[in-house]
Amino acid sequence: MWVPGVRIYGFGKERTARTGETMKAIMQDRYGSPEALEFRDTARPEPARGEVLVRVHAAAVNALDWHMMRGDPYLARPMMGLRVPRATIRGRDFAGTVESVGPGVERFEAGDEVFGEADGAFAEYVAAPESALARKPARLSFEQAAAIPLAGNTALMGLRDLGQVRSGHRVLVNGASGGVGTFAVQIARAFDAEVTAVCSTRNVDQVRALGADHVIDYTDDDFTTGAARYDLIFDLVGNHSLSRMRRVLAPGGKIVLSGGGVYRGGSVFGPMALIIAGKLAARFGSWVEVLEAVQSVENLTVLGELADAGKLRPAIERAYPLGEAAAAIRHLETEHARAKIVLTVQGP
């Protein structure tokens, strides 16, 4: 299915392999506001063939989570579940310790520290495909590792794969202080690009600390009216038209679109209007690309290597206990969270 900036394969499959044991999880039986989320007991999953049961120590909150919680945009509900969510446990990103493995698993064993993506991460345990997991970077805490998968993969694919960033490129990140943006600034610097970060006044120091060479405070300046030209514009906000952004592209430059946004009431299209315009424009030229980030263990490994090399350090604004996931999502969807929001689940 498609949710702004992310293609999720297999979403909506409710797990049926259960043990007789229970666990705590963030459950949802209806679409709605964060009040629709309940912290309650449910059956603990059992790993099927090719799966790994992970004892979750931390999980991360993404824009994807509030889109799924609200069933927004409505256009995506045929895949999410028309009237009620098909999958009742929220969450996607996590880090933890392998509890057990199913038949056929070769890369992991009980006790391994891992991070990755799988539906149902807002829980004490999650069963994930072996192919969705990588070893946790040794230099990072579980909270930091949990912050990486979806946002880090989105940033990596947008810059490296679609943007083809390389040394000396002038890269502008619009939405640099958000979850994906904080990774994008660091990854672009790791590729030795010259990075301009666009954010609000309160986040200027943060993005400078992440390595941005230049910072534009959008409350004072509009980057689309400036004199600077960019080889790559990585747009994570969707608050400027394609024509305005194209004005500041260097010859041969490219715009990469990937939007998550904040909640402004139920919508039919959400941030998809600009994405649709981008897809249409991409048919007639190579100056714009629309990112659909695909889950990749190879990319997780690359991100982990960058973290262990000291080139990538997840920026975390705040950690909430698992039972306060509703408050965490409310903060993310309405208050323009700075960097990543994580949930602490269980101790090491």
Side-chain angles (χ1 to χ4, degrees), residues 164-170 188-194 231:
Q164 299 181 334
V165 64
R166 61 180 183 269
S167 178
H169 264 182
R170 294 159 294 176
R189 288 296 300 130
F191 279 92
D192 199 27
E194 180 182 333
D231 300 296

Side-chain angles (χ1 to χ4, degrees), residues 133-212:
L133 299 174
R135 296 190 182 277
K136 182 182 78 67
R139 295 182 60 156
L140 301 185
S141 68
F142 284 106
E143 289 79 9
Q144 290 171 319
I148 291 177
L150 195 153
N153 183 49
T154 300
L156 181 64
M157 291 189 67
L159 293 168
R160 182 196 63 187
D161 301 344
L162 295 189
Q164 299 181 334
V165 64
R166 61 180 183 269
S167 178
H169 264 182
R170 294 159 294 176
V171 176
L172 180 137
V173 180
N174 187 28
S177 62
V180 177
T182 53
F183 286 110
V185 169
Q186 296 179 77
I187 292 170
R189 288 296 300 130
F191 279 92
D192 199 27
E194 180 182 333
V195 181
T196 297
V198 181
C199 63
S200 64
T201 306
R202 68 171 184 154
N203 297 318
V204 168
D205 290 340
Q206 178 196 50
V207 297
R208 286 194 188 280
L210 293 174

Side-chain angles (χ1 to χ4, degrees), residues 93-315:
D93 287 358
F94 63 90
T97 304
V98 174
E99 183 78 3
S100 62
V101 300
V105 171
E106 298 179 351
R107 293 193 298 121
F108 302 107
E109 60 183 20
D112 287 344
E113 295 182 348
V114 297
F115 72 123
E117 290 184 61
D119 291 322
F122 293 173
E124 292 178 317
Y125 294 88
V126 62
E130 180 182 20
S131 60
L133 299 174
R135 296 190 182 277
K136 182 182 78 67
R139 295 182 60 156
L140 301 185
S141 68
F142 284 106
E143 289 79 9
Q144 290 171 319
I148 291 177
L150 195 153
N153 183 49
T154 300
L156 181 64
M157 291 189 67
L159 293 168
R160 182 196 63 187
D161 301 344
L162 295 189
Q164 299 181 334
V165 64
R166 61 180 183 269
S167 178
H169 264 182
R170 294 159 294 176
V171 176
L172 180 137
V173 180
N174 187 28
S177 62
V180 177
T182 53
F183 286 110
V185 169
Q186 296 179 77
I187 292 170
R189 288 296 300 130
F191 279 92
D192 199 27
E194 180 182 333
V195 181
T196 297
V198 181
C199 63
S200 64
T201 306
R202 68 171 184 154
N203 297 318
V204 168
D205 290 340
Q206 178 196 50
V207 297
R208 286 194 188 280
L210 293 174
D213 299 288
H214 315 284
V215 181
I216 296 175
D217 180 348
Y218 67 74
T219 65
D220 293 328
D221 297 302
D222 180 348
F223 75 86
T224 67
T225 63
R229 297 295 180 265
Y230 305 97
D231 300 296
L232 173 61
I233 296 175
F234 193 21
D235 181 45
L236 305 169
V237 183
N239 59 346
H240 292 286
S241 68
L242 288 176
S243 60
R244 290 182 66 86
M245 288 191 285
R246 194 175 187 184
R247 291 177 192 170
V248 291
L249 271 186
K254 183 174 291 188
I255 299 169
V256 175
L257 302 175
S258 176
V262 296
Y263 184 68
R264 296 186 176 90
S267 63
V268 175
F269 296 103
M272 293 171 68
L274 182 63
I275 299 294
I276 293 170
K279 284 181 175 290
L280 291 173
R283 294 184 177 183
F284 302 99
S286 59
W287 59 274
V288 60
E289 297 271 8
V290 175
L291 173 62
E292 293 183 356
V294 178
Q295 185 176 336
S296 165
V297 68
E298 290 80 10
N299 288 353
L300 275 182
T301 301
V302 169
L303 293 164
E305 290 171 348
L306 287 172
D308 276 334
K311 296 181 178 181
L312 186 71
R313 189 170 184 83

Side-chain angles (χ1 to χ4, degrees), residues 316-320 324 331 338 340-343:
I316 296 175
E317 177 187 358
R318 184 173 174 181
Y320 291 79
E324 296 179 17
H331 179 70
R338 306 165 69 182
K340 293 293 293 184
I341 303 295
V342 299
L343 304 175

